[in-house]
Amino acid sequence: MAAESPYKLRIEGMDCASCALKIENAMRRLPGVTDINVSYAAGTLALQLDEDRTPQRVIEENVKALGYTPIGAAAEAGIPRKRERLPWWGDVKGQLVLITGALFVLAFVLARFLPDWERWLYSAAALAGVLPFARRALAGALSGSPFTIETLMTAAAVGAVAIGEAEEAAVVIFLFAIGELLETVAAGRARAGIEALIDLVPRTARRQRNDAFDIEEISVDALVIGDVVVVRPGDRVPSDGKVISGSSEVDEAPVTGESVPVLKEMGAKVYAGSINANGELRVEITHVAADNTIARIIHLVEEAQEAKAPMARMIDRFSRWYTPGAMIVALLVVLVPPLAFGGDWSTWIYRGLATLLIACPCALVISTPAAITSGLAAAARQGLLIKGGAALETLGKVTAVAFDKTGTLTLGRPRVTDVVARVGAENEVLARAAAVERNTSHPLGIAIVEAAQARGLELPATFGGGIATPGKAVTARLKGGFASVGSPRYAAEQTGLDAKIAETITALEGEGKTVVVLLSGKTVEGLIALRDEPREDAAEGVKRLTDQGIKAIVLTGDNARTAQAIAGQLGLEARAELLPDAKLAEIGTLKQAGPIAMVGDGINDAPALAASSVGIAMGGGTDVALETADAALLKNRVTGVAELIALSRATLGNIWQNITIALGLKAVFLATTLFGVTTLWMAILADTGATVLVTANALRLLSHRARD
């Protein structure tokens, strides 16, 4: 037996959730097919396939039998491509509208000249028009989906012809075809919301060859890592890279949603699709076209669309029982009044057929995935990446948001403000501390090394690498013995801190500074104070959360006084001096009161992000932000957290509106049907109308904009 391998297929004509459900049921019946994910929003079928048991052609044949068009395997990764857009009359469903409409018009015209043949003309038009739907109904029944909308439609149309209502049957078929076409148009609009991102990346790039003046124009697809490209004022950056020469402001709004242009100088990162404003830049390519920020966003959103949200799964389960239940109700409408109360058989058969049409589940089934898809697309276009419907749902239900401090609420670029020497001179203390921290990736350590370099200090040699004790200290062996740079608490554990040192630490921390202690053995050699300023939008971001009734907390390993100083400045609670395991425990405690979001930089905060109900990574489009946590703020602004939650709440509200519309209209028309008010064409128009209303309501989310 061959090993299973991933297989992904793009499908045309799959434009609603019930379509996806039929394909999913058909795939489940095939041997060697597992991990099935069908996304009508992305128009894809993804699965694990054992080709010895089921060849790929069998997959495609099953899809075709259900009335959809497979258009070739879609790569799991690669350069995103836009789908070819046909005019509505070039689509299969558009052609079906024209055919069913033409059949009805032909029957209508001929009936004016041949009145005696009127019933037979309309019957022929109805039966010919319903044939494509009947074939799909039969294929669905054979593949495990006996109760589909095509089944209801076919039964209603054939039944109407049988009781002499052929003219209405022909109208019903035409209206149903129009409803399917409208679903296609709506699905295309939702997909266009994501595919519009593809247009952000230019098709060509100006690559430097042998020298600065030897420039060639090549396809963006041909760029490789290490190539140097010239980005002129007004040009879009062709792929992710770093600036190696030049200085210019770059508009990153198309990628991150950040409205203010960002100054880019040597060493700065730039992202594919961003627009160079006023100076020429030379950029070294760090990601190929298939792996740039835009491509990763599109792939991640498509994956998110393929993963069903909890509410969507609930609606799917409900619809499996809803459709057969509706058919039983329609049968009871036909049988009970004539048998129990002596009602007229033709009248109640007619009303039973109308009930069948009213019961079509399209509007209900599409209510949740349409809203989720629009929400994901709206978020991506604003630099808010949400990796799945489940995360989108959870965001709207959070009762608290926990923030990491360094790099999240603050800029993540602490600077040395004070050096207090107890042994030797200030520069000696700073140089020895920098030597211990020289290979660190911690922001405080980096700041200490930068401060020493800025003063032109020569760092003592170290013997071996530094040893980190998470949340406490870094220790390295210098010429005179082991030295450590650690927190005051760590220093107090290693040796006693006299009253003067403790008083100095307290004073510095009271100014909102973080203090580290340089220890040589058991001797305190000095103190170094650093301060990391809050992000300019941090206070506004916290305020927006509290205005929404959400509790905001900072969880930090920093000392209590520094944490309180920052928290007081921003208007949130502080939980300080938390080691990694204590931070996880704090997340667990907060989750007991309700869903909690954790916001961090996506690197050091990975355990806390994973432990929270939904993890949100800051990162300005970095790899880590795109690959860690459940959501990412590409614009790297604290206000993005409130924007995510507002969008999620809008999506959840939209879902309940859609469900109310779908079930409310059905309830109204069911009542009017039982009283004989609703005709067959009105019944199908009610179903089509509900589907259109639900879809249009969901598409409103595409225009949802975050508050500036």
Side-chain angles (χ1 to χ4, degrees):
M1 181 184 296
E4 291 184 347
S5 58
Y7 176 63
K8 193 170 186 178
L9 189 68
R10 291 200 175 275
I11 300 172
E12 289 288 358
M14 178 179 64
D15 300 312
C16 70
S18 58
C19 301
L21 197 57
K22 280 190 294 185
I23 294 174
E24 184 177 328
N25 288 338
M27 295 301 106
R28 290 190 189 283
R29 296 167 68 91
L30 298 176
V33 176
T34 58
D35 295 340
I36 303 162
N37 279 306
V38 187
S39 170
Y40 89 89
T44 57
L45 162 65
L47 46 79
Q48 292 288 322
L49 179 63
D50 180 349
E51 290 198 56
D52 284 351
R53 302 177 68 189
T54 298
Q56 291 182 11
R57 61 175 177 78
V58 174
I59 301 288
E60 296 186 13
E61 288 168 1
N62 273 262
V63 171
K64 286 180 182 176
L66 291 170
Y68 308 106
T69 307
I71 55 173
E76 289 293 333
I79 301 169
R81 304 292 185 190
K82 295 186 72 170
R83 291 172 181 247
E84 181 183 357
R85 298 293 180 198
L86 297 173
W88 69 266
W89 58 85
D91 182 80
V92 173
K93 292 184 178 180
Q95 293 169 359
L96 200 52
V97 169
L98 295 175
I99 291 170
T100 55
L103 287 171
F104 175 75
V105 170
L106 181 62
F108 176 82
V109 172
L110 291 177
R112 302 286 74 81
F113 297 100
L114 302 169
D116 294 339
W117 288 77
E118 181 175 3
R119 177 180 176 182
W120 302 108
L121 289 170
Y122 281 118
S123 296
L127 293 174
V130 84
L131 186 60
F133 303 111
R135 291 176 59 186
R136 280 157 52 183
L138 178 61
L142 294 175
S143 61
S145 300
F147 302 110
T148 63
I149 186 172
E150 288 86 2
T151 304
L152 300 182
M153 245 292 304
T154 302
V158 173
V161 170
I163 64 172
E165 299 292 345
E167 184 176 358
E168 282 201 55
V171 173
V172 163
I173 294 164
F174 176 57
L175 291 175
F176 181 76
I178 290 176
E180 287 208 321
L181 177 61
L182 291 174
E183 286 178 357
T184 300
V185 172
R189 282 196 60 188
R191 289 172 188 146
I194 293 300
E195 290 186 347
L197 294 172
I198 297 172
D199 291 331
L200 298 178
V201 181
R203 299 288 178 264
T204 61
R206 293 169 53 81
R207 182 172 65 181
Q208 179 178 306
R209 298 198 342 179
N210 299 319
D211 57 58
F213 302 101
D214 187 3
I215 308 296
E216 63 175 343
E217 189 166 296
I218 63 167
S219 168
V220 168
D221 299 354
L223 289 174
V224 297
I225 294 173
D227 279 349
V228 174
V229 296
V230 178
V231 185
R232 300 167 299 184
D235 285 353
R236 289 185 183 270
V237 177
S239 195
D240 293 5
K242 65 178 179 180
V243 177
I244 60 172
S245 71
S247 174
S248 179
E249 289 186 323
V250 174
D251 179 5
E252 296 181 340
V255 184
T256 69
E258 177 58 69
S259 58
V260 180
V262 181
L263 178 65
K264 300 291 184 178
E265 297 177 306
M266 184 179 294
K269 290 183 178 180
V270 290
Y271 307 115
S274 53
I275 304 167
N276 186 19
N278 44 37
E280 184 174 278
L281 296 175
R282 290 184 186 258
V283 176
E284 181 181 330
I285 299 300
T286 57
H287 289 80
V288 296
D291 190 40
N292 65 36
T293 300
I294 296 292
R296 293 200 304 277
I297 290 172
I298 292 170
H299 287 310
L300 287 170
V301 173
E302 285 183 345
E303 289 172 7
Q305 290 174 338
E306 289 169 8
K308 290 184 179 177
M311 193 172 287
R313 289 195 294 268
M314 180 193 74
I315 293 292
D316 280 353
R317 290 193 297 270
F318 176 71
S319 67
R320 285 187 170 94
W321 295 99
Y322 169 85
T323 306
M327 295 186 76
I328 292 172
V329 170
L331 183 61
L332 292 175
V333 169
V334 171
L335 297 177
V336 172
L339 293 177
F341 306 105
D344 178 65
W345 278 101
S346 63
T347 298
W348 288 101
I349 289 174
Y350 183 91
R351 293 179 184 179
L353 295 175
T355 303
L356 272 184
L357 294 175
I358 291 167
C360 289
C362 270
L364 179 63
V365 174
I366 205 174
S367 60
T368 296
I372 292 289
T373 297
S374 295
L376 292 171
R381 288 159 66 175
Q382 297 174 54
L384 307 171
L385 182 62
I386 306 171
K387 295 165 66 175
L392 181 59
E393 278 192 35
T394 304
L395 279 164
K397 300 172 184 176
V398 298
T399 58
V401 175
F403 291 92
D404 173 54
K405 182 175 73 70
T406 304
T408 301
L409 288 174
T410 64
L411 293 170
R413 295 192 295 272
R415 296 290 181 264
V416 172
T417 59
D418 304 86
V419 179
V420 180
R422 290 296 301 273
V423 176
E426 286 186 9
N427 283 350
E428 292 176 12
V429 169
L430 185 59
R432 286 173 63 79
V436 173
E437 297 274 16
R438 80 168 83 221
N439 295 317
T440 187
S441 60
H442 193 282
L444 296 181
I446 292 171
I448 290 170
V449 173
E450 288 177 348
Q453 291 172 341
R455 297 190 186 190
L457 304 181
E458 184 178 347
L459 305 189
T462 56
F463 301 90
I467 301 171
T469 305
K472 293 186 176 183
V474 176
T475 302
R477 186 179 177 187
L478 305 182
K479 185 176 181 180
F482 285 97
S484 299
V485 177
S487 67
R489 185 170 62 175
Y490 173 80
E493 292 172 358
Q494 302 303 310
T495 184
L497 298 178
D498 62 41
K500 188 173 181 181
I501 293 177
E503 183 180 334
T504 304
I505 291 172
T506 300
L508 291 169
E509 290 178 346
E511 297 172 7
K513 299 173 182 177
T514 300
V515 180
V516 295
V517 181
L518 174 64
L519 288 171
S520 182
K522 299 291 184 179
T523 303
V524 175
E525 294 193 346
L527 308 176
I528 299 175
L530 306 96
R531 183 162 55 204
D532 185 10
E533 297 299 327
R535 293 178 182 272
E536 63 179 19
D537 72 320
E540 174 66 15
V542 171
K543 183 178 182 300
R544 289 192 191 181
L545 288 173
T546 54
D547 287 348
Q548 294 179 25
I550 296 169
K551 184 178 184 179
I553 309 155
V554 58
L555 304 181
T556 178
D558 214 336
N559 69 84
R561 282 182 291 272
T562 300
Q564 288 295 345
I566 291 289
Q569 186 178 347
L570 301 180
L572 74 169
E573 294 182 27
R575 311 273 172 90
E577 301 181 4
L578 299 176
L579 297 178
D581 56 344
K583 188 178 285 191
L584 286 177
E586 197 68 43
I587 291 286
T589 301
L590 291 167
K591 280 178 72 175
Q592 293 175 9
I596 179 172
M598 173 68 195
V599 188
D601 63 10
I603 305 172
N604 300 327
D605 301 303
L609 291 170
S612 61
S613 306
V614 56
I616 303 172
M618 304 284 285
T622 63
D623 291 347
V624 171
L626 291 171
E627 294 167 8
T628 309
D630 306 298
L633 307 178
L634 303 189
K635 62 177 70 178
N636 215 25
R637 293 174 64 84
V638 179
T639 50
V641 180
E643 292 166 6
L644 277 174
I645 292 172
L647 177 60
S648 174
R649 289 181 173 181
T651 303
L652 291 174
N654 192 282
I655 289 171
W656 286 112
Q657 291 167 7
N658 286 347
I659 292 172
T660 302
I661 291 169
L663 294 180
L665 276 176
K666 290 185 185 303
V668 169
F669 276 87
L670 178 60
T672 57
T673 297
L674 295 178
F675 285 105
V677 177
T678 304
T679 60
L680 289 180
W681 69 267
M682 289 171 65
I684 194 64
L685 195 59
D687 176 70
T688 301
T691 302
V692 170
L693 286 174
V694 163
T695 304
N697 191 46
L699 290 174
R700 286 193 309 112
L701 288 169
L702 291 175
S703 61
H704 183 278
R705 296 296 303 174
R707 195 174 91 191
D708 293 328

